[in-house]
Amino acid sequence: MTSVSFSSSFFLHFSSLPYVLIKQAEPVDESSVKKMILTFEKRSYKNQELRIKFPDNPEKFMESELDLNDIIQEMHVIATMPDLYHLLVELNAVHSLLGLLSHENTDILSLTDSVVDLLQELTDIDTLHESEEGAEVLIDALLEGQVVALLVQNMERLDEQVKEEADGNYNTLAIIENMAEFRPGLCTEAAQQGLMQWLLKRIKAKMPFDANKLYCSEILAILLQNNDNTRELLGEMDGIDVLLQQLSVFKRHNPSTAEEQEMMENLFDALCSCLMLPANRDRFLRGEGLQLMNLMLRKKMSRTSALKVLDHGMIGPEGADNCHKFVDILGLRTIFPLFMKTPKKMKKTGASEKEHEEHVCSIIASMLRNLKSQQRSRLLNKFTENDCEKVDRLMELHFKYLEAVQQADKRIEGEKHEMVRRGEILDDSMEDEFYLRRLDAGLFVLQLICYIMVEISNSGISQLQQRVHQILNLRGGSVKVVRHIMREYAESIGDGKSDEFKEAERKRIMDLVDNF
């Protein structure tokens, strides 16, 4: 079969005129939109008919192709009226547009470009929010027509060496992002319809860094947010290895542009999301993720993100294997200098002092919780080194965050007092909001610090316990305050865990507190 390819610019030249003319010529209302859609249906059918009739003679259907492209361009005006989206569904236009996407003939790539452009504009997130009802109808129809599977198939046909086709992929990813933002629930379905596989393949493709690779990393991070189904799928597709390979590029050199840095952060975020799933912790361990993160702690640009990944990989009982391995690869030598001194210059990476200290303290707390035998001894010995300097630093952080939380508590008490004075009710949601504000002010870091304090005081190494109590007394601190903080911590523990786990963990913490 002879195939003739028309370039996008060829279509564009013919198609930009009618859209401008129609916008000027007549006001757009429901009846003109109906008319437009029916014209599109007619031209689509005619084009299909001519293609079947003259499969080897493109000249015969070339004109109908141009006519069809013209009307698709005109249909962009519908994107300004999302309350009329139901017409696209009722008059079968969505079905026909998706049919053009799935066309097996590659010589109508320019038509599929036009369809992608139109879908991108119809699904623009601001437009979707203008009419929730119209948006729901459109998204339902697109999903029913397996839109993601068709878009992925279409992207697979495109050659990104050609600028227009690379743009086509970028616009396709924009459609997926728009729909996922409007309806986060579709992420699982989208990932299973070939999108996850395509994204991983594109991210690891040996191609120069570009806007499309950045966009892929962004979509991947979106798919994995709060979604154990997509996390599991990525793990099964060896996606943890793909993420680690891509990040390993930055262990030698920092990202060279702001865009490359953004991609690096997206990959780190994706990795953190994946590690929420216990099965992926093991894949991370086997893929030597700990060794890579340990190296990346030495690079300023990647330090905070590497800390965050280690925190996610080592937390909770599922992090025990990673905790032991971290000590084996001499991770204590890297983590403790970061505990002793918070790096000053963190502006570039956009990280805060609090974020850094939170991740470091969380990693140390996880190790104290999970380590056994020899590895646990090595960790505790770190606290006795150089005349217990790490205990001194721990206590310095304790008073720093205690003060921050006390100030926040004072403000909150003032607000509560005002609310009561005005006769307002302090309901549970209000109390929850206040608690979140306290956590944000530093309560969570303070809880981690107090946990480390009670753990090392219960270690059986008397000089550690003596040093903690000595500094508490010297600075007017109080064992009672530490116990109160730990009780509050024990109460809030184990989100998403079984009741048995919560109970056992609470008892373990309260035993430590009672012996403090």
Side-chain angles (χ1 to χ4, degrees):
M1 169 182 156
T2 322
S3 156
V4 173
S5 175
F6 308 123
S7 76
S8 303
S9 52
F10 177 66
F11 272 122
L12 216 60
H13 174 70
F14 283 90
S15 60
S16 52
L17 283 170
Y19 181 39
V20 174
L21 292 175
I22 191 163
K23 281 190 86 169
Q24 289 173 352
E26 52 179 285
V28 181
D29 54 18
E30 188 164 341
S31 74
S32 64
V33 167
K34 273 184 182 169
K35 202 165 124 189
M36 198 184 289
I37 293 172
L38 292 170
T39 307
F40 163 71
E41 283 298 317
K42 242 183 267 176
R43 291 183 189 181
S44 182
Y45 180 71
K46 184 183 176 187
N47 177 252
Q48 217 173 346
E49 215 175 24
L50 290 171
R51 278 181 165 275
I52 293 164
K53 203 170 173 184
F54 306 108
D56 302 325
N57 194 349
E59 281 78 15
K60 297 278 187 187
F61 53 76
M62 180 174 145
E63 197 180 334
S64 73
E65 207 112 298
L66 288 166
D67 289 343
L68 178 56
N69 197 60
D70 283 348
I71 193 70
I72 292 173
Q73 299 298 328
E74 284 180 33
M75 285 165 73
H76 277 257
V77 79
I78 302 172
T80 62
M81 292 169 293
D83 50 323
L84 297 182
Y85 279 5
H86 63 97
L87 296 174
L88 288 167
V89 179
E90 288 158 17
L91 300 174
N92 209 37
V94 170
H95 180 75
S96 302
L97 286 166
L98 294 179
L100 289 172
L101 268 187
S102 62
H103 211 295
E104 66 243 18
N105 292 315
T106 52
D107 59 334
I108 66 153
L109 269 180
S110 298
L111 263 185
T112 60
D113 277 355
S114 297
V115 172
V116 165
D117 287 348
L118 175 60
L119 288 177
Q120 188 195 346
E121 210 165 318
L122 291 170
T123 60
D124 177 83
I125 193 68
D126 295 331
T127 308
L128 293 180
H129 285 305
E130 275 171 38
S131 167
E132 303 272 336
E133 207 176 313
E136 293 286 358
V137 172
L138 176 67
I139 301 291
D140 282 343
L142 289 170
L143 292 176
E144 205 176 301
Q146 303 267 300
V147 64
V148 178
L150 293 172
L151 288 170
V152 170
Q153 280 168 26
N154 192 48
M155 287 196 292
E156 277 170 347
R157 295 189 303 186
L158 297 175
D159 174 9
E160 290 197 53
Q161 305 299 325
V162 181
K163 189 190 178 302
E164 286 79 8
E165 298 188 19
D167 290 347
N169 272 358
Y170 189 89
N171 296 339
T172 303
L173 292 171
I175 298 170
I176 293 166
E177 184 188 20
N178 290 339
M179 294 198 306
E181 191 177 332
F182 184 76
R183 190 181 292 176
L186 65 80
C187 286
T188 301
E189 199 182 323
Q192 289 164 347
Q193 284 183 16
L195 179 61
M196 178 72 80
Q197 200 171 0
W198 187 86
L199 288 171
L200 290 172
K201 193 170 104 184
R202 176 62 180 84
I203 283 170
K204 70 176 180 181
K206 287 184 165 45
M207 291 164 73
F209 173 76
D210 62 359
N212 283 9
K213 186 168 182 174
L214 170 58
Y215 212 168
C216 286
S217 69
E218 203 175 309
I219 301 290
L220 186 63
I222 290 169
L223 288 185
L224 296 164
Q225 263 171 18
N226 310 319
N227 192 324
D228 277 351
N229 295 318
T230 55
R231 290 164 184 168
E232 196 170 343
L233 186 65
L234 179 133
E236 287 163 1
M237 289 178 169
D238 295 330
I240 300 285
D241 277 349
V242 173
L243 292 172
L244 291 173
Q245 281 160 14
Q246 291 305 306
L247 284 168
S248 68
V249 173
F250 303 109
K251 74 181 175 195
R252 285 189 195 87
H253 70 85
N254 283 326
S256 46
T257 62
E259 288 73 25
E260 209 176 0
Q261 187 184 341
E262 194 184 331
M263 182 193 70
M264 179 181 82
E265 297 301 344
N266 289 338
L267 296 175
F268 272 124
D269 286 345
L271 193 50
C272 286
S273 284
C274 291
L275 291 173
M276 307 283 267
L277 192 75
N280 284 336
R281 306 262 184 110
D282 190 44
R283 293 179 175 115
F284 176 74
L285 177 68
R286 290 200 311 268
E288 301 196 342
L290 289 161
Q291 288 88 327
L292 177 62
M293 293 306 124
N294 197 30
L295 283 171
M296 294 185 90
L297 287 178
R298 291 164 195 175
K299 304 285 291 176
K300 282 180 191 168
M301 295 286 264
S302 57
R303 184 186 289 135
T304 304
S305 298
L307 277 175
K308 198 167 149 190
V309 170
L310 287 171
D311 189 0
H312 279 74
M314 293 159 80
I315 207 165
E318 307 88 354
D321 289 346
N322 280 320
C323 285
H324 285 89
K325 184 68 178 176
F326 188 68
V327 176
D328 292 344
I329 61 164
L330 309 179
L332 298 179
R333 288 184 188 177
T334 325
I335 201 76
F336 271 105
L338 294 172
F339 172 71
M340 291 302 291
K341 192 171 188 294
T342 300
K344 279 282 172 276
K345 289 178 181 168
M346 301 209 299
K347 291 273 192 303
K348 256 188 192 173
T349 56
S352 70
E353 201 174 87
K354 178 169 147 285
E355 192 183 346
H356 173 92
E357 287 163 0
E358 180 183 315
H359 291 311
V360 173
C361 289
S362 182
I363 290 165
I364 294 171
S366 293
M367 288 193 288
L368 283 166
R369 187 210 180 285
N370 286 324
L371 291 178
K372 301 274 183 287
S373 62
Q374 180 211 346
Q375 282 99 333
R376 183 175 173 80
S377 300
R378 282 165 68 179
L379 174 63
L380 290 167
N381 286 338
K382 279 279 170 195
F383 282 96
T384 62
E385 281 175 3
N386 300 334
D387 189 26
C388 297
E389 63 173 9
K390 292 171 188 69
V391 181
D392 296 353
R393 170 64 173 158
L394 180 69
M395 300 311 291
E396 182 191 322
L397 289 171
H398 169 72
F399 287 106
K400 170 184 167 178
Y401 282 99
L402 182 62
E403 189 185 346
V405 172
Q406 283 171 341
Q407 282 178 356
D409 285 348
K410 214 171 177 178
R411 281 194 298 275
I412 288 168
E413 281 312 309
E415 283 176 44
K416 283 183 179 177
H417 185 72
E418 266 303 297
M419 287 175 77
V420 171
R421 197 180 61 77
R422 290 197 301 264
E424 291 174 31
I425 308 250
L426 284 170
D427 58 5
D428 285 351
S429 70
M430 224 34 234
E431 289 292 357
D432 288 347
E433 196 186 311
F434 284 136
Y435 186 63
L436 286 173
R437 271 175 53 188
R438 293 178 68 220
L439 287 174
D440 201 40
L443 177 62
F444 181 58
V445 194
L446 182 61
Q447 289 171 343
L448 291 170
I449 292 164
C450 289
Y451 176 74
I452 297 170
M453 284 161 63
V454 298
E455 270 276 15
I456 63 173
S457 295
N458 277 275
S459 65
I461 302 172
S462 58
Q463 70 184 112
L464 295 182
Q465 186 177 18
Q466 284 161 10
R467 190 60 156 251
V468 169
H469 286 274
Q470 182 194 355
I471 298 173
L472 265 183
N473 294 332
L474 259 175
R475 291 195 51 181
S478 128
V479 170
K480 208 166 126 189
V481 169
V482 176
R483 283 182 173 159
H484 173 72
I485 292 163
M486 287 316 295
R487 280 196 190 95
E488 197 173 21
Y489 175 57
E491 280 309 308
S492 66
I493 214 145
D495 192 26
K497 304 278 188 200
S498 70
D499 289 343
E500 292 87 341
F501 170 81
K502 285 183 195 175
E503 207 37 61
E505 190 63 0
R506 272 179 201 149
K507 186 180 180 318
R508 191 181 72 79
I509 289 170
M510 290 322 294
D511 286 349
L512 289 172
V513 172
D514 292 341
N515 294 325
F516 179 56

